[in-house]
């Protein structure tokens, strides 16, 4: 006897769909969410300019045709308010909130070996027992907050992009510093540059960015997509990255220069993350990769008037797309404004935060506001922050030298605990909505199967987990991706083991494997 069949942690897009899906098979579930409403990423990340970088017609739920037909995205890339509105609409439409406990953080999970149940302890001291726990805790939900000396002495305002105040912040006429030039940093910088008095950007590693060419949708364009939405979605699922980009299968190393140039020009013109998918070896062959990189660098030189600044903004220390590429709308042009200064912290390290600003190298930059766009403890951070215990083992200790899972779904020693878009699955290398829906469907089917068979416990075998970890590593090592100091590698977090965490083989290949595993009665799992 448990309080509920399943505890789901997190009410982002993953947790919401998981709840809906379990209800459909008659399984009771309670969602526990730290925030005070649904939306996850789009609930927390309210910084100026926040928007998705995969077009919303792809980056949206596909599980309900009526939902698909009735919702109209206003722009090619929806901004955060619209993405949050969408989450709220889904919560209302499927009456999700009544099974969600908001403002509640899961602190501890403990497995009972005799009963095959989990006990979940929350920050209000309450406990809940369940047969299964599904961690829909998000890959980018545990903010990284590096400590700078003197932070507490700063007299001005400090904000993190990852937990931006809900009431908004008026930056008009202020001297603002932004630390960090990843995706959130780029979006923030671009959005606030027109309004602030002075903007000082502190950059450790420049990002490759491709143009968004964002635009409002016309009714005709949306109608055309909706006319055959199921086929459109199916096409997405059969790609490597979860959205259709008309990816090329030829090799750049064998293509004539004019063909390469034409492909780059066309894709640049189209905009978005499909830019580097024209050739199959762009992430495998270093020379091919550098051709793509050099094309982007040449565009940066075209956009930024000062050659020295353009060079500082040009990534040279890692292969293109081995760190998450950004999608921009006028980011580089910001540096042509007189009131914008770029500080390379490799040359002028941040020594401390002072009462009036930031001391970098020998210069104190006086500012009223500091914005930290310092990223996340990706993929494992949210799970590591929970004390997950089975027997005498803690998950975070088991994963101390890198996460170990079978299919990114479960980990040996932690039965009945599923992860949505866990490490070892395509997750962050894909359109996350496709990966989320795939995992939710897979997990729901597995629970339905266990119930139908009268079984109460599911756990991967050691052999299956070891083989999968090797597969994930082998695929990663076939590419240039492990060369970057990226958050995919955990390299942005001091002390975190450098391991390439996601499965790079593609959502299409992954689904074939995971479908096959399920079809033959969950090969590689012990079901008892
Ligand atoms: P999340 O949305 O992160 O939700 C997880 C939820 O779990 C959160 O609400 C959190 O509060 C809760 N939670 C975590 N731990 C606990 C706990 N211990 N107790 C209680 N609650 C807990 N992906 C794309 O595919 N395309 C994009 O364009 C894109 N843009 C992004 C932009 C930003 C700024 C960020 C940060 C991420 C972006 N992503 C994008 C990735 C994005 O995280 C996923 O697309 C998706 O929103 C993840 O949904 P989720 O439900 O899995 O996780």
């Amino acid at each position: 006897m448990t309080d509920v069949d399943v505890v789901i942690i997190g009410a982002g897009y993953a947790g919401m769909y998981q709840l809906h899906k379990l209800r459909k098979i008659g399984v009771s579930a309670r969602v526990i969410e730290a925030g005070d409403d649904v939306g996850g990423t789009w609930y927390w990340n309210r910084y100026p300019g926040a928007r998705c970088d995969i077009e919303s017609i792809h980056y949206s739920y596909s599980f309900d045709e009526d939902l698909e037909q009735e919702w109209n995205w206003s722009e090619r890339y929806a901004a955060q308010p619209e993405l949050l509105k969408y989450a709220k609409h889904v919560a209302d439409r499927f009456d999700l909130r009544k099974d969600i406990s908001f403002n509640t953080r899961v602190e501890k999970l403990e497995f009972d070996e005799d009963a095959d149940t989990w006990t979940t302890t929350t920050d209000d001291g309450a406990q809940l027992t369940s047969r299964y726990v599904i961690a829909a805790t998000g890959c980018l939900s545990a903010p990284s907050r590096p400590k700078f000396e003197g932070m507490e002495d700063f007299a001005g305002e400090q904000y993190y992009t990852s937990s931006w105040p809900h009431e908004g912040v008026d930056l008009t006429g202020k001297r603002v510093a932004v630390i960090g030039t990843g995706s959130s940093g780029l979006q923030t910088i671009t959005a606030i540059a027109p309004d602030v008095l002075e903007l000082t950007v502190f950059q450790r590693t420049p990002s490759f960015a491709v143009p968004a060419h964002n635009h409002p949708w016309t009714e005709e364009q949306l109608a055309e997509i909706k006319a055959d939405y199921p086929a459109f979605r199916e096409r997405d699922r059969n790609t490597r990255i979860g959205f259709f980009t008309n990816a090329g299968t030829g090799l750049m190393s064998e293509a004539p220069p004019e063909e390469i140039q034409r492909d780059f020009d066309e894709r640049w013109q189209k905009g978005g993350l499909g830019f580097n998918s024209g050739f199959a070896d762009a992430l495998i062959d270093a020379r091919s990769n550098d051709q793509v990189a050099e094309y982007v660098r040449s565009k940066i030189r075209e956009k930024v008037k000062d050659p020295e600044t353009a060079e500082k903004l040009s990534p040279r220390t890692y292969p293109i797309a081995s760190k998450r590429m950004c999608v921009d709308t006028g980011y580089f042009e910001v540096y042509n404004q007189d009131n914008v200064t770029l500080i390379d912290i490799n040359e002028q390290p941040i020594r401390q935060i002072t009462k009036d600003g930031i001391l970098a190298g020998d210069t104190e930059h006086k500012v009223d506001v500091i914005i930290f766009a310092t990223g996340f403890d990706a993929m494992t951070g949210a799970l590591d922050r929970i004390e997950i215990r089975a027997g005498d083992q803690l998950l975070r200790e088991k994963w101390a030298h890198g996460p170990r899972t079978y299919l990114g779904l479960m980990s040996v020693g932690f039965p009945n605990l599923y992860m949505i878009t866990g490490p070892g699955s395509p997750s962050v290398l894909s359109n996350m909505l496709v990966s989320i829906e795939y995992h939710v469907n897979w997990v729901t089917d597995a629970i339905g199967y266990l119930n139908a068979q009268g079984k109460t416990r599911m756990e991967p075998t050691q052999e299956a987990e070891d083989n999968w970890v090797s597969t994930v590593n082998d695929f990663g090592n076939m590419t240039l991706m492990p060369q970057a100091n990226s958050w995919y590698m955990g390299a942005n977090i001091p002390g975190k083991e450098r391991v390439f965490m996601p499965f790079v083989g593609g959502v299409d290949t992954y689904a074939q494997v995971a479908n096959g595993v399920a079809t033959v009665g969950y090969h590689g799992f012990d079901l008892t």
Side-chain angles (χ1 to χ4, degrees):
M1 284 297 107
T2 53
D3 297 321
V4 73
D5 295 328
V6 180
V7 163
I8 301 167
I9 313 172
Y13 285 178
M16 291 166 66
Y17 176 44
Q18 185 64 74
L19 170 61
H20 172 71
K21 192 75 187 167
L22 286 173
R23 280 183 185 167
K24 288 258 178 200
I25 63 161
V27 167
S28 66
R30 171 127 303 258
V31 183
I32 301 175
E33 166 58 52
D36 69 14
D37 206 346
V38 296
T41 288
W42 306 109
Y43 167 89
W44 296 106
N45 292 265
R46 301 180 188 224
Y47 58 84
R51 63 176 71 242
C52 56
D53 56 16
I54 291 175
E55 296 153 271
S56 312
I57 50 168
H58 302 271
Y59 183 71
S60 45
Y61 290 119
S62 73
F63 69 84
D64 187 279
E65 244 184 275
D66 293 337
L67 170 66
E68 233 169 27
Q69 290 296 328
E70 77 200 10
W71 185 266
N72 289 318
W73 292 107
S74 66
E75 301 176 85
R76 184 175 175 192
Y77 302 92
Q80 174 273 331
E82 193 172 6
L83 290 153
L84 182 59
K85 194 171 155 201
Y86 177 67
K88 291 181 179 184
H89 170 76
V90 172
D92 292 340
R93 198 181 189 290
F94 298 102
D95 195 15
L96 299 179
R97 285 196 182 84
K98 67 177 181 213
D99 289 326
I100 307 178
S101 303
F102 292 108
N103 291 314
T104 312
R105 185 169 283 281
V106 171
E107 291 193 328
K108 191 171 168 187
L109 299 174
E110 197 153 20
F111 189 66
D112 181 330
E113 292 284 346
D114 299 322
D116 291 344
T117 56
W118 283 97
T119 301
T120 299
T121 308
T122 50
D123 56 358
D124 52 3
Q127 293 197 320
L128 198 65
T129 56
S130 63
R131 172 75 64 216
Y132 303 104
V133 171
I134 303 175
T137 39
C139 292
L140 298 171
S141 60
S144 155
R145 296 187 163 171
K147 288 272 165 273
F148 294 94
E149 201 192 317
M151 275 172 102
E152 53 296 333
D153 301 329
F154 182 59
E157 303 155 58
Q158 306 186 44
Y159 302 103
Y160 288 87
T161 53
S162 51
S163 47
W164 197 259
H166 289 195
E167 62 281 10
V169 180
D170 185 7
L171 297 170
T172 317
K174 293 190 176 155
R175 299 167 303 170
V176 179
V178 176
I179 300 180
T181 52
S183 192
S184 300
L186 254 70
Q187 291 185 333
T188 306
I189 290 161
T190 313
I192 67 174
D195 301 324
V196 300
L197 180 67
E198 285 170 16
L199 177 58
T200 312
V201 176
F202 293 84
Q203 169 189 276
R204 181 173 58 188
T205 314
S207 287
F208 285 103
V210 295
H213 297 315
N214 193 21
H215 58 74
W217 287 117
T218 62
E219 274 182 32
E220 294 72 40
Q221 284 169 323
L222 280 181
E224 198 184 315
I225 292 154
K226 288 184 183 183
D228 199 8
Y229 225 151
F232 180 93
R233 302 291 198 178
E234 197 47 34
R235 217 170 50 154
D236 280 353
R237 287 184 206 109
N238 286 314
T239 61
R240 196 174 64 80
I241 53 178
F243 64 103
F244 184 76
T245 58
N246 200 16
T249 51
L251 301 180
M252 207 183 304
S253 55
E254 293 173 356
E258 22 341 317
E259 186 189 325
I260 298 171
Q261 186 67 30
R262 190 173 57 245
D263 180 79
F264 288 176
D265 287 343
E266 280 173 15
R267 286 176 184 274
W268 190 263
Q269 204 43 49
K270 192 162 190 300
L273 290 174
F275 169 68
N276 69 327
S277 54
F279 297 93
D281 56 348
L283 248 179
I284 292 171
D285 181 313
R287 283 187 54 195
S288 301
N289 184 278
D290 201 50
Q291 278 182 269
V292 191
E294 189 43 39
Y295 184 88
V296 179
R297 288 191 287 258
S298 74
K299 295 291 182 189
I300 297 173
R301 288 193 291 274
E302 276 172 26
K303 291 178 190 189
V304 180
K305 287 188 193 139
D306 173 38
E308 218 176 286
T309 307
E311 183 52 31
K312 274 189 197 164
L313 289 165
S314 297
R316 293 202 182 267
T317 55
Y318 60 94
I320 185 167
S322 62
K323 273 172 176 275
R324 176 110 184 160
M325 275 205 301
C326 300
V327 175
D328 87 292
T329 302
Y331 169 67
F332 294 105
E333 289 83 345
V334 162
Y335 295 91
N336 296 330
Q337 287 181 212
D338 291 339
N339 62 340
V340 177
T341 310
L342 177 66
I343 307 292
D344 178 349
I345 64 168
N346 301 296
E347 291 167 6
Q348 298 176 61
I350 296 179
R351 287 169 48 195
Q352 73 173 95
I353 307 236
T354 64
K355 184 170 143 302
D356 298 320
I358 298 175
L359 179 65
D362 294 330
T363 311
E364 185 182 23
H365 301 268
K366 297 202 170 180
V367 294
D368 306 307
V369 181
I370 304 176
I371 298 174
F372 295 92
T374 41
F376 299 90
D377 183 353
M379 304 203 75
T380 54
L383 289 165
D384 282 352
R385 281 159 175 73
I386 304 172
E387 185 183 328
I388 303 176
R389 186 179 291 282
D392 54 7
Q393 208 177 14
L394 269 178
L395 186 69
R396 70 167 87 100
E397 280 176 12
K398 177 183 169 185
W399 285 7
H401 299 293
R404 299 186 68 81
T405 69
Y406 180 34
L407 296 169
L409 281 160
M410 298 190 95
S411 191
V412 173
F414 298 85
N416 296 0
L417 171 66
Y418 301 95
M419 290 162 262
I420 304 300
T421 65
S425 71
S427 63
V428 288
L429 299 178
S430 68
N431 171 3
M432 290 288 275
L433 259 289
V434 168
S435 289
I436 285 170
E437 287 194 330
Y438 183 80
H439 266 185
V440 168
N441 293 342
W442 194 98
V443 169
T444 309
D445 288 349
I447 290 175
Y449 182 85
L450 288 160
N451 288 348
Q453 302 278 317
K455 297 187 190 288
T456 57
R457 184 173 168 135
M458 179 167 184
E459 185 183 352
T461 65
Q462 192 63 56
E463 190 190 6
E465 180 171 290
D466 291 347
N467 287 342
W468 185 251
V469 170
S470 300
T471 304
V472 172
N473 290 338
D474 290 348
F475 269 85
N477 290 333
M478 276 192 270
T479 73
L480 303 168
M481 300 211 67
Q483 292 184 13
N485 286 323
S486 64
W487 53 258
Y488 301 135
M489 293 289 293
N492 61 327
I493 304 296
K496 192 166 175 178
E497 191 84 3
R498 272 187 67 110
V499 173
F500 187 70
M501 295 183 281
F503 172 69
V504 74
V507 295
D508 46 357
T509 308
Y510 175 84
Q512 280 172 16
V513 176
N515 287 345
V517 163
T519 307
V520 296
Y522 297 92
H523 177 77
F525 289 96
D526 282 332
L527 274 49
T528 51

